[in-house]
Amino acid sequence: IIQAGKALLSRYRSGDRKLAGIILLSDGRQVTPARAADLALECRSQESPIFAVPLGGDVARKDLSITAARKQYVAFAGQKLKIGGLVKNEGLGNISTTIQLTDAAGARIAEQKVDVPDGETASVQFDVIPEQRGYVEYVLKAPVWAGEASEGNNQSATGVAVLANKMRVFVAEGTPGWDSKFLVQLLRKQANMDITSVYRLSSDRFFKVETDLSKVSESAESIFPDTAEALSLYDILVFGKGADYFLTEERIRLLRDFVRDQGGCIVFSRGKPYSGTFADLEFLEPVAWGDPVGASFRFRPERSGEYAGLFGDMLAGIADPVWNKLPPLQSATRSSDLKTFSQVLADGVFESGGKDVSFPLLVSRRYGKGMVVLVNAEGLWQWDFFPSVKEASNMYQEIWSQLLQWAVTYSEFLPGQEYSMRLAETSVLPSTPVNVRIGKRGAAGKTATPLLRVFLDQAGIQELPAASIPDMDNRLTAVLSLDKPGIYRVELAESEKGEALGPCSTLQVRTPPAEKDNLSADRAFLEALANDSGGGLL
């Protein structure tokens, strides 16, 4: 419609005859995407309005589609991971179907039977344990149903970045307690973490314990990284109480650069990390502090935590009854305000005057290239201690191990990688330009400008150099446009040696729509086009 209209207008752009208007007889349904506003603007400029006669009406559409819940996951080798998908049923009646999970070559890994009522969406979830380090692709497949309008949406791809390096965690505890003791003991048991912990035992005595327990040291000065190079050895810094015992003005400047420029992550694990005020640290915190919470409270996940990929993917979903069976928590502080880019992943809830009162309990905040996470509570260690909630006895381990993994992978850079890569779109139609954003840790110039490599069915089909963004030394960009439908792997590599730099992503180029995919008239499109051109419907 748009191309035909523009061609008609071009015939009358010059010459003696003027086009008084256009009569458009159509169902308004287009196969080729186009901007109606472009044609409407040209019609107004030539004073040639469109008068549209809509033909046809609603035609029942039958379609079964599958969409991966997330386009990319992050896991450690040998770690169990849940891969989810959404199955949508349009006009097929109440059906029962089988969804398959395959690898990139099409080999079946698992399958799951699911009931999908007519007009509704059902979820599926598969447990996988990727063993291969690097980037692994999976495909969710739904069978082609009799009478389907389109077969192009019966599969959806996702990728898993399987990390080769352990998370490196530094724990600083100024006033040790049960929470800090349980947390460090738990983290030392995690196969995918290296832990260094520092404790303040008295005003002139600090104690440092590394993953190698034989490397224990004691000092009269706070044992804390004092250079950018020393901080760069870690992915996450965890502060308990008494952070002010460790942080000087220079160390706070290093913390800012660590998060903002290096893509590091800071976790405040026991609520407000200092007593009174500490103005120098406030710029990093996700909240502005208010008064103490004077009651015990329960942990309630929020929808934003589900959207962020924490609840429902890595931890139990927000509707799971396990959250109501956990022991109550205590020692939290209200928030007088949320900082810019902060999001509340879970609330603390207590009863007052017969009503539920909530406050931010689990908060994340993007800061530059990195992430700051606040756990505004104490007493989580009880989740792993009291036998009265045996069905929830693993929640303490789960919430801390998964939260730290989520935090470090939700910031811009993955552990051990000096580059990041983000695709603006991960599912597009053929020939659609896709912007690729590339980030570099710290200052630029460490290596040559990288390039993008594109693979289809394990075969390399395209190489594209990245371009620097003016006035942004550590940012690069590139634009992909692929014509052939399929599931592509996009990876970042060195331009000189061709060695992979780590970041990968999956790009699905969908089969373009066909004439019979949707036979219903698009009256709304015709009405908008006609009105915007200065005409209307007939």
Side-chain angles (χ1 to χ4, degrees):
I1 296 173
I2 305 303
Q3 290 85 342
K6 287 184 176 182
L8 181 59
L9 288 173
S10 68
R11 297 185 187 183
Y12 292 88
R13 191 165 284 121
S14 61
D16 298 332
R17 301 181 67 194
K18 180 179 182 301
L19 187 65
I22 298 173
I23 304 295
L24 174 58
L25 304 165
S26 173
D27 64 358
R29 182 64 57 186
Q30 296 193 102
V31 172
T32 305
R35 281 171 46 86
D38 295 342
L39 175 57
L41 189 62
E42 286 192 40
C43 288
R44 281 190 176 274
S45 68
Q46 293 185 224
E47 297 182 336
S48 303
I50 295 174
F51 295 91
V53 181
L55 302 178
D58 289 334
V59 177
R61 184 172 187 266
K62 296 182 178 182
D63 189 44
L64 182 66
S65 62
I66 178 77
T67 305
R70 295 174 63 189
K71 288 302 179 183
Q72 183 164 324
Y73 295 84
V74 178
F76 290 90
Q79 178 187 30
K80 186 167 74 172
L81 176 71
K82 296 182 182 297
I83 292 180
L86 299 174
V87 187
K88 186 176 181 180
N89 172 7
E90 291 184 68
L92 294 174
N94 298 331
I95 64 171
S96 180
T97 187
T98 300
I99 305 300
Q100 287 189 351
L101 181 72
T102 74
D103 61 17
R108 184 169 63 92
I109 297 173
E111 63 182 29
Q112 183 177 332
K113 188 175 181 179
V114 59
D115 296 324
V116 194
D118 191 18
E120 296 188 18
T121 300
S123 62
V124 292
Q125 201 167 59
F126 296 94
D127 290 333
V128 298
I129 304 178
E131 301 291 350
Q132 173 187 342
R133 301 178 190 274
Y135 192 75
V136 183
E137 293 173 320
Y138 295 95
V139 182
L140 293 160
K141 293 183 177 180
V144 176
W145 210 262
E148 270 201 77
S150 173
E151 299 179 14
N153 55 12
N154 285 63
Q155 65 176 23
S156 183
T158 188
V160 180
V162 186
L163 302 179
N165 301 308
K166 293 183 177 182
M167 282 193 294
R168 301 159 299 180
V169 183
F170 185 94
V171 181
E173 183 59 71
T175 55
W178 283 108
D179 282 277
S180 53
K181 179 180 179 179
F182 269 75
L183 177 58
V184 172
Q185 286 179 345
L186 167 67
L187 298 183
R188 290 197 187 282
K189 296 177 183 177
Q190 305 304 305
N192 53 20
M193 296 184 188
D194 278 333
I195 310 298
T196 298
S197 54
V198 176
Y199 306 92
R200 174 183 175 271
L201 303 181
S202 64
S203 60
D204 59 352
R205 188 179 171 208
F206 292 85
F207 200 64
K208 180 179 180 180
V209 183
E210 298 189 26
T211 298
D212 183 351
L213 296 180
S214 64
K215 298 179 180 179
V216 176
S217 58
E218 187 173 333
S219 172
E221 299 180 0
S222 64
I223 308 171
F224 196 88
D226 276 318
T227 64
E229 290 73 18
L231 268 182
S232 69
L233 297 176
Y234 303 100
D235 300 303
I236 302 180
L237 301 183
V238 179
F239 287 99
K241 296 288 189 181
D244 44 326
Y245 292 119
F246 297 94
L247 298 179
T248 63
E249 184 176 337
E250 175 61 19
R251 286 174 176 175
I252 291 175
R253 185 190 67 79
L254 291 173
L255 283 185
R256 180 200 63 199
D257 296 344
F258 170 74
V259 181
R260 185 189 65 187
D261 301 330
Q262 299 295 330
C265 178
I266 288 180
V267 175
F268 298 116
S269 66
R270 296 173 61 191
K272 188 178 178 182
Y274 49 85
S275 300
T277 60
F278 193 14
D280 290 343
L281 191 62
E282 289 178 358
F283 73 96
L284 265 182
E285 295 174 310
V287 301
W289 296 110
D291 298 326
V293 176
S296 60
F297 49 88
R298 66 181 189 275
F299 187 101
R300 184 180 71 187
E302 292 299 314
R303 186 69 63 183
S304 55
E306 182 179 68
Y307 293 154
L310 181 60
F311 300 110
D313 280 344
M314 305 182 78
L315 292 167
I318 61 175
D320 196 303
V322 69
W323 299 110
N324 293 323
K325 299 177 181 179
L326 296 170
L329 304 172
Q330 61 273 336
S331 300
T333 306
R334 292 180 185 270
S335 305
S336 61
D337 191 21
L338 286 176
K339 302 287 187 67
T340 307
F341 304 121
S342 292
Q343 61 175 343
V344 179
L345 308 178
D347 276 332
V349 182
F350 63 92
E351 186 177 314
S352 178
K355 296 182 179 180
D356 280 349
V357 179
S358 63
F359 63 91
L361 192 158
L362 180 58
V363 187
S364 68
R365 183 193 183 200
R366 287 192 178 278
Y367 184 78
K369 297 178 181 179
M371 173 73 70
V372 181
V373 176
L374 165 67
V375 180
N376 184 21
E378 291 193 72
L380 270 73
W381 61 273
Q382 298 174 78
W383 292 1
D384 199 35
F385 191 78
F386 290 105
S388 58
V389 285
K390 290 182 178 179
E391 64 272 26
S393 61
N394 202 41
M395 285 302 299
Y396 180 75
Q397 175 179 331
E398 285 293 309
I399 197 165
W400 274 116
S401 61
Q402 298 300 333
L403 177 62
L404 293 188
Q405 182 176 325
W406 174 86
V408 77
T409 56
Y410 204 66
S411 60
E412 184 165 335
F413 301 93
L414 295 180
Q417 296 185 2
E418 295 299 315
Y419 286 85
S420 66
M421 181 179 70
R422 296 288 186 274
L423 274 60
E425 300 285 345
T426 55
S427 180
V428 297
L429 292 170
S431 303
T432 301
V434 177
N435 183 267
V436 183
R437 184 181 180 185
I438 300 164
K440 208 185 260 192
R441 282 192 197 263
K446 293 181 181 178
T447 61
T449 301
L451 56 83
L452 293 180
R453 294 196 298 209
V454 183
F455 298 83
L456 178 63
D457 298 330
Q458 310 304 314
I461 63 166
Q462 190 179 117
E463 288 191 352
L464 180 69
S468 299
I469 301 177
D471 301 323
M472 298 182 72
D473 291 338
N474 53 3
R475 295 290 183 192
L476 304 101
T477 187
V479 178
L480 288 174
S481 182
L482 302 169
D483 299 329
K484 182 181 177 182
I487 297 173
Y488 295 82
R489 186 176 87 254
V490 183
E491 72 174 27
L492 203 61
E494 289 183 341
S495 56
E496 295 178 349
K497 300 179 181 179
E499 296 178 357
L501 292 170
C504 284
S505 189
T506 297
L507 175 62
Q508 183 169 0
V509 179
R510 306 189 304 270
T511 303
E515 283 287 342
K516 294 185 178 181
D517 283 359
N518 193 339
L519 300 177
S520 295
D522 192 346
R523 183 185 178 92
F525 169 80
L526 291 175
E527 185 172 13
L529 174 62
N531 289 341
D532 291 346
S533 73
L537 291 186
L538 298 178

